[in-house]
Amino acid sequence: MRVFIDGKETEFPGGATYRDLIKSYSVLGVSVGGRTLSLNARPEPGAQAHALTYFDEEGRRIYERTLQFVLLAAAHRVIPGRRVRIEHSFGEALFIRLPKTTVTRQLVAKIEQEMRSIVERDLPIPLTESSKAEANRYFEETNQGDKLRLLRYRNFEKFRFYELCGLKEYFYGEMAPSTGYVRVFQLRMYLPGLLMRTPHAKDPTRVAPFRDLPKLMKTFGETGRWNGILGCENAADINEMIERRSFREFIRVNEALHERSIERIADEFLKSGARVILIAGPSSSGKTTFAHRLQIALKVLGLRPMKLSLDDYYRDRKDIPLGEDGRPDLERLDTLDVPLLDEHLVKLLQGEAVEAPIFDFPKGMRSDRTQTLRAAADQPIVIEGIHGLNDQLTESVPRELKFKIYISALTMLNLDDHNRIRTTDARLLRRIVRDYQFRGTSPEETMAMWPSVRRGEESYIFPFQEEADAMFNSALAYELPIMKKYVYPVLQAVKPESPHYTLARRLVKFLNYIRTADVEDEIPINSILREFIGGSCFYREQD
């Protein structure tokens, strides 16, 4: 029998697995059609497979899941019975808390030593199937109440367990076949928990360099504290609020916290003495709605903010370099006429009038028309766009006149203690809903563009986030039960033969555990979420 791996024909005997055919430990899984398969899977005759490495998104996810399982197995041996909570990404690392356990350098070193022992032995990670009842018994016996509560919302009777060192776990995706595949890692104490550092994205043979992100960590910490106060750490907490009919109040509190944060940022700007407000963040963070709400908060303080649209400073589409996908790369800084923007800002700050361009998006070029703009001496200028934190955008404006704001949807809600909901996945759901409803873009088209969007974020946004004077977390702990109604049916419609099937199924899998809440009448018309589901007061036609 024959199979094709990255176009190369390979003969294989009956009963062989992909692991039998691919001996390299740098290959973590395979992609066949739209599906991601474990190396333990058996090839079908004539299959066209792509070997997944750490350079592939799905390969990195396999590596991370496997490494998480190794960490959990090591912690189970070093601190048996203690709670371990995998919380969020931290650059090229994961932040992990050990609630009610005193974290010391010695403890972190012991866990890392045990992890390395598990990896060196190259232990198999078998996948077994059990019933939901059997899974419930296991989680009850091992005091994993978070998983017991979550399983109430699982509609399937069959359950898949991965096993390692006497520990059973479930993860939402494939794993490496054995522990020897995840040799590159390092633990680091980072109070109030620890960091599990992962391979460098461009050189997976070494651990990614450590980069401290204190402002981002503070923002995550504030959100985590509020979630703890509100009793909302895992998906089951949200589902139980819906059942108790207390979800409407939860929405009100979430929105009040957003409003309080925006007012605080407006106060900080007023005290700073700056003139230019620069708002930047990754895709689907809600930058536009945030900018509108911030301007209202500034008006309450007696200011008269003026918005300058970066979209109008785009160069003609024909002059924009192409990206890896052959399309114009709209994420680059030089897609904007930076010299003209810089010149206009300098003049506006000195009270001069400028003739600002108007970009004609249907034609993909600058219009012949312009708009006259002038800023008073006490008038803040608000600029929103992905390059806002990059000083090259506003090179001639002194730093003390700039107030930089970083906004992102930093999701802190987990499915359970060991299965986090990624911030990037939550933002992708927002974008799928918005693009499908208001831009006529299918979910598959949005998913096809997503890798290019993510590359732009890694290059042009994340390197500058710690330069922000303020950070705003636009995630709403209540949003997934609202979004599910819009996104779940269109994700389920993605066919198995689609190249985006694995991504669609991964999103569907975690949404399976989220209950739908039909309470949209409770969501304010100025909510960040309205930017994606519709009904925002900021997008209505002017009377």
Side-chain angles (χ1 to χ4, degrees):
M1 291 185 283
R2 295 179 301 170
V3 66
F4 297 86
I5 300 174
D6 291 327
K8 183 179 179 181
E9 183 178 342
T10 303
E11 296 281 344
F12 69 96
T17 66
Y18 280 105
R19 188 182 190 184
D20 297 326
L21 306 180
I22 305 172
K23 303 298 184 182
S24 172
Y25 272 66
S26 64
V27 176
L28 299 157
V30 293
S31 174
V32 180
R35 297 175 181 268
T36 296
L37 302 178
S38 164
L39 289 176
N40 286 329
R42 290 186 171 87
E44 294 183 3
Q48 299 277 349
H50 165 59
L52 296 171
T53 69
Y54 201 78
F55 294 108
D56 299 285
E57 171 68 18
E58 288 301 321
R60 287 192 295 275
R61 293 200 178 216
I62 291 172
Y63 194 102
E64 183 184 297
R65 282 186 212 106
T66 307
L67 191 58
Q68 285 177 205
F69 199 12
V70 171
L71 169 76
L72 293 171
H76 181 65
R77 291 190 168 190
V78 175
I79 46 173
R82 297 296 184 92
R83 187 181 172 198
V84 178
R85 183 172 171 83
I86 297 168
E87 295 218 326
H88 55 78
S89 61
F90 185 92
E92 292 184 79
L94 281 176
F95 177 71
I96 295 153
R97 276 198 307 119
L98 306 175
K100 298 183 179 179
T101 296
T102 301
V103 179
T104 64
R105 294 186 189 279
Q106 292 78 12
L107 175 62
V108 173
K110 283 183 180 179
I111 295 173
E112 180 174 339
Q113 183 180 16
E114 183 60 33
M115 288 178 69
R116 297 203 180 279
S117 172
I118 292 170
V119 167
E120 285 301 318
R121 284 179 282 162
D122 196 14
L123 300 174
I125 306 176
L127 179 64
T128 59
E129 191 173 272
S130 68
S131 68
K132 184 177 176 180
E134 290 170 332
N136 274 322
R137 280 196 297 273
Y138 174 76
F139 292 136
E140 187 170 8
E141 290 168 0
T142 53
N143 296 315
Q144 297 187 64
D146 57 316
K147 291 182 171 61
L148 272 173
R149 292 168 61 216
L150 186 65
L151 279 186
R152 288 181 51 218
Y153 305 98
R154 181 179 172 87
N155 295 322
F156 308 101
E157 286 304 316
K158 295 297 182 182
F159 199 85
R160 299 197 323 166
F161 270 127
Y162 288 102
E163 296 187 22
L164 179 63
C165 299
L167 198 64
K168 294 182 179 181
E169 271 292 348
Y170 64 89
F171 292 96
Y172 301 96
E174 302 300 334
M175 302 276 278
S178 64
T179 59
Y181 284 77
V182 290
R183 296 178 180 275
V184 181
F185 67 91
Q186 190 177 79
L187 297 190
R188 178 190 180 106
M189 185 177 76
Y190 195 93
L191 296 179
L194 60 93
L195 293 177
M196 184 170 71
R197 297 169 61 193
T198 53
H200 194 293
K202 295 181 179 178
D203 180 9
T205 63
R206 60 187 178 93
V207 174
F210 172 72
R211 180 185 171 216
D212 201 4
L213 303 168
K215 293 179 182 178
L216 184 67
M217 193 64 187
K218 181 182 178 183
T219 305
F220 268 121
E222 289 172 353
T223 302
R225 282 192 293 275
W226 275 113
N227 283 1
I229 291 169
L230 296 171
C232 175
E233 289 187 315
N234 295 328
D237 299 321
I238 293 285
N239 292 338
E240 289 167 6
M241 286 183 201
I242 295 171
E243 290 177 348
R244 294 195 306 266
R245 298 183 180 276
S246 60
F247 197 59
R248 287 180 178 274
E249 182 180 2
F250 185 65
I251 291 174
R252 294 175 206 135
V253 174
N254 271 247
E255 292 291 346
L257 288 171
H258 263 197
E259 191 64 27
R260 179 177 176 177
S261 294
I262 292 169
E263 290 170 355
R264 174 180 54 79
I265 291 172
D267 288 336
E268 290 175 4
F269 168 75
L270 185 62
K271 293 174 184 175
S272 73
R275 284 286 311 280
V276 180
I277 299 173
L278 296 151
I279 302 168
S283 175
S284 303
S285 293
K287 295 183 289 293
T288 303
T289 299
F290 172 80
H292 280 295
R293 289 177 65 174
L294 180 64
Q295 289 178 79
I296 292 171
L298 292 171
K299 289 177 181 178
V300 171
L301 296 176
L303 301 176
R304 295 178 297 125
M306 180 184 81
K307 186 175 181 182
L308 189 64
S309 174
L310 283 185
D311 286 351
D312 285 324
Y313 285 85
Y314 270 122
R315 297 184 184 275
D316 289 353
R317 195 65 53 88
K318 64 180 176 59
D319 298 327
I320 295 176
L322 301 181
E324 294 178 11
D325 56 3
R327 301 177 180 179
D329 186 354
L330 300 177
E331 312 297 323
R332 294 165 54 120
L333 179 62
D334 58 7
T335 61
L336 298 170
D337 191 343
V338 175
L340 181 63
L341 173 67
D342 193 55
E343 175 191 332
H344 283 182
L345 269 177
V346 169
K347 289 182 177 179
L348 287 169
L349 288 171
Q350 297 179 85
E352 294 185 36
V354 301
E355 292 300 318
I358 297 174
F359 194 83
D360 188 330
F361 279 91
K363 293 182 179 179
M365 61 188 296
R366 190 172 293 176
S367 170
D368 293 332
R369 297 180 298 114
T370 61
Q371 52 184 336
T372 303
L373 299 177
R374 185 192 297 271
D378 62 345
Q379 198 167 15
I381 301 170
V382 180
I383 300 175
E384 172 252 308
I386 67 170
H387 298 289
L389 303 188
N390 186 343
D391 278 329
Q392 292 182 48
L393 184 73
T394 52
E395 195 170 17
S396 299
V397 179
R399 180 63 178 90
E400 63 269 19
L401 293 183
K402 293 186 279 194
F403 188 84
K404 300 181 180 183
I405 302 171
Y406 176 74
I407 172 175
S408 187
L410 304 172
T411 306
M412 286 289 289
L413 184 72
N414 277 22
L415 287 178
D416 57 48
D417 282 353
H418 302 158
N419 286 277
R420 67 189 180 100
I421 297 173
R422 291 172 179 246
T423 289
T424 51
D425 287 346
R427 288 194 291 109
L428 176 56
L429 289 177
R430 284 181 170 188
R431 181 150 178 167
I432 288 171
V433 171
R434 183 195 65 191
D435 287 1
Y436 184 70
Q437 288 208 113
F438 307 117
R439 300 183 180 181
T441 305
S442 73
E444 291 181 77
E445 289 176 287
T446 299
M447 288 187 277
M449 291 187 291
W450 194 241
S452 174
V453 171
R454 295 281 293 115
R455 284 193 296 272
E457 293 168 353
E458 294 289 347
S459 299
Y460 306 120
I461 300 175
F462 298 147
F464 304 102
Q465 61 190 6
E466 283 294 314
E467 296 179 19
D469 298 296
M471 287 193 176
F472 178 75
N473 185 358
S474 71
L476 289 155
Y478 73 79
E479 69 182 80
L480 288 178
I482 305 296
M483 299 280 280
K484 182 175 178 179
K485 179 180 78 173
Y486 295 91
V487 76
Y488 195 78
V490 296
L491 288 173
Q492 283 190 308
V494 176
K495 303 295 184 185
E497 57 270 19
S498 166
H500 310 294
Y501 182 75
T502 289
L503 175 53
R505 290 305 302 166
R506 186 172 68 238
L507 297 173
V508 164
K509 280 182 178 180
F510 83 73
L511 287 172
N512 280 334
Y513 291 91
I514 307 291
R515 287 198 59 174
T516 302
D518 189 16
V519 290
E520 281 185 37
D521 58 317
E522 196 66 59
I523 302 171
I525 57 175
N526 68 344
S527 172
I528 294 281
L529 196 58
R530 289 287 180 190
E531 186 172 324
F532 306 97
I533 65 172
S536 172
C537 60
F538 301 120
Y539 293 87
R540 294 175 177 174
E541 292 183 359
Q542 297 294 319
D543 293 332

